[in-house]
Amino acid sequence: DTAVSQTPKYLVTQMGNDKSIKCEQNLGHDTMYWYKQDSKKFLKIMFSYNNKELIINETVPNRFSPKSPDKAHLNLHINSLELGDSAVYFCASSQKGFRGTQYFGPGTRLLVL
Amino acid sequence: SQQGEEDPQALSIQEGENATMNCSYKTSINNLQWYRQNSGRGLVHLILIRSNEREKHSGRLRVTLDTSKKSSSLLITASRAADTASYFCATDQGGNEKLTFGTGTRLTIIP
């Protein structure tokens, strides 16, 4: 069974479009995250949620809007996609906040043309 | 600014040799974690070491932490081809509700 799953795995789209990435975890964790990994493999946190409440919004453009319908899901909607949004987006979860082990999804590779 | 920086950026060794990679950070931490990322995959947690610990072992992995030098090292003994991956350290800084990941070391094991 997949612990943290993301869909889609690949996303190729035109500049200006709106797209969503979905994330689900079946670990019963309270905290979920979105990370962005750029072409140089640098991994940076974007958002974290704890029990559906936003904890961190790491100076991400407001074109990015996370939504947590319940504590097992954290989706990411991106409006007006730009070339610089091309990256790999990872969802992760942890049981006891950010200090504990984080479990990562397989990533969504976004390419904006 | 980047909290954790791994050194070296890339490392190639023969299978069976030991691999050592280092992580330096800038501010005080509560704990430090190491993660592995295989090509095209998500990160996988390897080991967590707390600020009051100096050394920790897990199988072929040995992690040390020197808080006075703000550095940690990850040693993989008797390397295998399957150890080929990127390795990241991640730190939590007191007061910041997040992990900050380093720049990663790309390890290649040559069969």
Side-chain angles (χ1 to χ4, degrees), chain B residues 44-62:
Chain B
V44 174
H45 180 261
L46 295 175
I47 199 163
L48 180 153
I49 186 165
R50 302 190 192 286
S51 60
N52 61 355
E53 297 176 311
R54 291 296 168 258
E55 188 170 312
K56 206 159 182 182
H57 296 254
S58 177
R60 294 184 296 112
L61 305 181
R62 172 178 169 252

Side-chain angles (χ1 to χ4, degrees), chain A residues 37 42 56 58 99 109, chain B residues 2 35 37 40 92 97-98:
Chain A
Q37 187 174 46
F42 179 50
I56 286 181
E58 193 72 0
R99 289 205 175 98
R109 284 139 192 85
Chain B
Q2 183 67 23
Y35 287 80
Q37 184 179 29
D92 68 343
E97 299 279 327
K98 64 179 181 179

Side-chain angles (χ1 to χ4, degrees), chain A residues 35-90:
Chain A
Y35 287 90
K36 179 180 180 181
Q37 187 174 46
D38 63 23
S39 58
K40 295 185 178 180
K41 302 291 187 185
F42 179 50
L43 192 71
K44 188 174 163 74
I45 190 165
M46 300 172 68
F47 301 102
S48 74
Y49 271 71
N50 191 63
N51 274 323
K52 302 193 298 176
E53 289 191 23
L54 179 67
I55 303 297
I56 286 181
N57 178 343
E58 193 72 0
T59 59
V60 176
N62 57 17
R63 298 183 295 105
F64 291 78
S65 52
K67 282 190 172 52
S68 183
D70 54 62
K71 75 173 194 176
H73 295 85
L74 181 61
N75 303 322
L76 184 65
H77 187 76
I78 315 169
N79 289 326
S80 302
L81 278 155
E82 299 177 357
L83 296 176
D85 298 332
S86 295
V88 182
Y89 292 84
F90 287 99

